[in-house]
Amino acid sequence: MSVGEVSVEEARAAEEERAVEQALALVGRQPQAAHPTPDPARAGGLSSPPEQSSPSDPGKAESSASQPSGDQPPSDTPPDSPSLPRGSAATRVSPSTQARRTRAHSTPWAEARALAERLGRAAPLAAHRLPLDRALGHVLAEAVVALTDLPSFDTSAMDGWAVAGPGPWTVRTGEGLLAGRSTPALLPDGEAVRIATGARIPVDATAVIRSEHARSDEAKGLLHATREVVPGQDIRPRGQECRSGDQLLPVGTLVTPPVLGLAAAAGYDALVAVPRPRVDVFVLGDELLNAGLPHDGLIRDALGPMLAPWLRTLGAEVTEPQRLGDDAQALRHALATSDADLILTTGGTAAGPVDHVHPVLAETGAELLVDGVAVRPGHPMLLARQADGGPYVVGLPGNPLAAVSGLLTLAEPLLRGIAGRAAQDPYRATVRGEVHGHPHDTRLVPVVHRADSAGGTDHVVPLHYNGPAMLRGIAAADGLAVVPPGGVRSGTEVEILDLPWASATPWTEGCFT
């Protein structure tokens, strides 16, 4: 079937939906509100590529009973529905019906991302003054303006000889001119004096001759140039880099190691910067293990070890993730006592029997700003604001790659806005290979950049193992391709989201921890 083509299965699902509505009408009931949309591979939508139909197929893995339930919907059958004969169309709402209902309430991916950033920028943190040794990784809240000319006096750019007038020159005796020493004496025409890099140029000196371009006649006390001497050569004039009052760095600049060096050179001891946003991570799920091999229906927690360092690469200060299990009371207490700027929860965002995020947020009076996003994986993500100006809450699905999707869709732009960081310039790259898409939703697919050895343009290659519960693909990736509904063919340009460590190499520990 070609990309975006309506399949026989979809037509059959539409017919099934009509049968469902007729059956519900016969028993006097209306279809209930939609649950979160299942992934297309599980819903019978667009199929996965043939090479992924092995036991490690991402679509199959999403429905595995051993995976977290954050990206999996509960049964569609209302608990109080009248009993119908087995095989009746009303026994279970079809995936097609469920998908269309959910899409009616899901926020488009680009819109959700833009909203998160706008909310972050509307609530910036108060600026504070940080000494240079603590400012790395923050964002400037005040511009860096030159406090003096740089350099503040004429200096030698090379080791050699300062000369005045035309040569040959009479060599002045003594140790010569060194950096950091007092103002040198006048240098009359026809004289030369030894000078070190960074030393102050004597008044009336016309040039510096590099040591390798000079020949000294010690017997006669004369210096000869072996190359033409141009006035001003190898002299760094005062104000060459900037003049006092020039703006060196604007508000919003990320403080990197070179920024620290420039600020120090310009005379700064501290910088006025935006504090790093503080983030609490609450890991939900009774099925999660902290150590050892999975066993007896228990699985390892992959999100706790992953999220904290990832958030630090985004410029956040992150507390040690807290494991709350499937405990509504513990979640309620954690939300009420957090003093973070952003709270991340993992799992529990669907409508299962132990998915407590929505009910607890409702009980605490939180404002639900985004409830589901039209993106795969990760559509059950949410964004809320605690009551009375409390912190934002981003609810991530429990499946690992679905959680990454939620992180990049809602948490990353929100944190970027709060911290005052500039957005990555959008860019597109050619994808090498067909990428299947969801019929209606955006899809985020791990990719790796490749250079064309034949001299052609660079491109990205989609990676396998990209199901909602998988991390093998994203672990090898340096970006995510934003695949529009229906998928794309090989050779198509797609938007790329760079992963933070792709540009941070060789810095480890995240950027600026």
Side-chain angles (χ1 to χ4, degrees), residues 19-154:
V20 169
E21 293 171 350
Q22 293 170 2
L24 291 175
L26 289 174
V27 296
R29 292 186 55 81
Q30 296 298 322
Q32 295 210 355
H35 292 294
T37 313
D39 191 86
R42 196 172 59 243
L46 192 63
S47 62
S48 299
E51 63 268 23
Q52 296 181 1
S53 60
S54 62
S56 59
D57 182 282
K60 294 181 180 179
E62 186 177 4
S63 62
S64 170
S66 65
Q67 300 298 337
S69 60
D71 219 27
Q72 300 181 18
S75 169
D76 304 83
T77 306
D80 54 346
S81 295
S83 177
L84 293 171
R86 176 178 289 275
S88 167
T91 302
R92 188 176 74 86
V93 177
S94 73
S96 176
T97 302
Q98 189 177 22
R100 273 192 282 275
R101 291 176 187 166
T102 303
R103 286 196 301 276
H105 301 286
S106 295
T107 304
W109 177 79
E111 183 180 321
R113 208 160 184 261
L115 173 63
E117 182 170 359
R118 287 199 304 271
L119 292 171
R121 296 202 183 281
L125 300 177
H128 58 182
R129 186 174 296 276
L130 292 171
L132 295 185
D133 61 356
R134 290 177 49 207
L136 190 66
H138 290 74
V139 172
L140 292 180
E142 286 186 5
V144 172
V145 176
L147 303 177
T148 183
D149 296 343
L150 286 181
S152 55
F153 47 83
D154 294 347

Side-chain angles (χ1 to χ4, degrees), residues 392-407:
Y392 286 103
V393 178
V394 170
L396 303 178
N399 274 324
L401 189 57
V404 169
S405 175
L407 180 67

Side-chain angles (χ1 to χ4, degrees), residues 193-395:
V193 63
R194 267 285 185 186
I195 193 167
T197 302
R200 191 165 189 165
I201 295 293
V203 178
D204 294 334
T206 55
V208 169
I209 303 175
R210 302 182 186 189
S211 298
E212 60 268 30
H213 298 161
R215 177 175 58 83
S216 177
D217 185 343
E218 296 182 1
K220 296 181 180 180
L222 294 177
L223 180 75
H224 299 269
T226 60
R227 294 190 180 184
E228 179 185 2
V229 177
V230 179
Q233 72 179 29
D234 288 327
I235 292 177
R236 293 188 63 213
R238 175 174 181 164
Q240 182 186 49
E241 187 166 5
C242 66
R243 291 291 185 181
S244 180
D246 288 350
Q247 178 174 289
L248 302 178
L249 298 164
V251 171
T253 298
L254 180 66
V255 179
T256 61
V259 167
L260 292 175
L262 177 59
Y268 283 82
D269 300 316
L271 295 172
V272 179
V274 180
R276 292 193 184 103
R278 292 167 295 114
V279 181
D280 283 340
V281 178
F282 302 146
V283 180
L284 313 181
D286 289 340
E287 75 277 20
L288 302 178
L289 295 169
N290 268 346
L293 292 174
H295 62 86
D296 301 326
L298 303 177
I299 60 175
R300 284 293 298 272
D301 169 28
L303 297 181
M306 177 176 69
L307 288 177
W310 195 317
L311 291 164
R312 291 189 186 104
T313 69
L314 301 177
E317 290 185 357
V318 189
T319 58
E320 187 69 21
Q322 301 178 46
R323 290 193 56 196
L324 304 181
D326 291 318
D327 187 330
Q329 184 175 350
L331 176 59
R332 191 179 301 109
H333 176 75
L335 292 174
T337 56
S338 172
D339 61 355
D341 302 299
L342 170 64
I343 297 170
L344 254 66
T345 63
T346 70
T349 57
V354 291
D355 290 334
H356 300 304
V357 176
H358 281 90
V360 169
L361 288 175
E363 291 170 14
T364 60
E367 180 185 5
L368 201 56
L369 303 169
V370 174
D371 187 12
V373 176
V375 66
R376 303 305 175 106
H379 60 280
M381 67 183 75
L382 63 84
L383 171 60
R385 181 73 183 269
Q386 292 279 73
D388 302 322
Y392 286 103
V393 178
V394 170

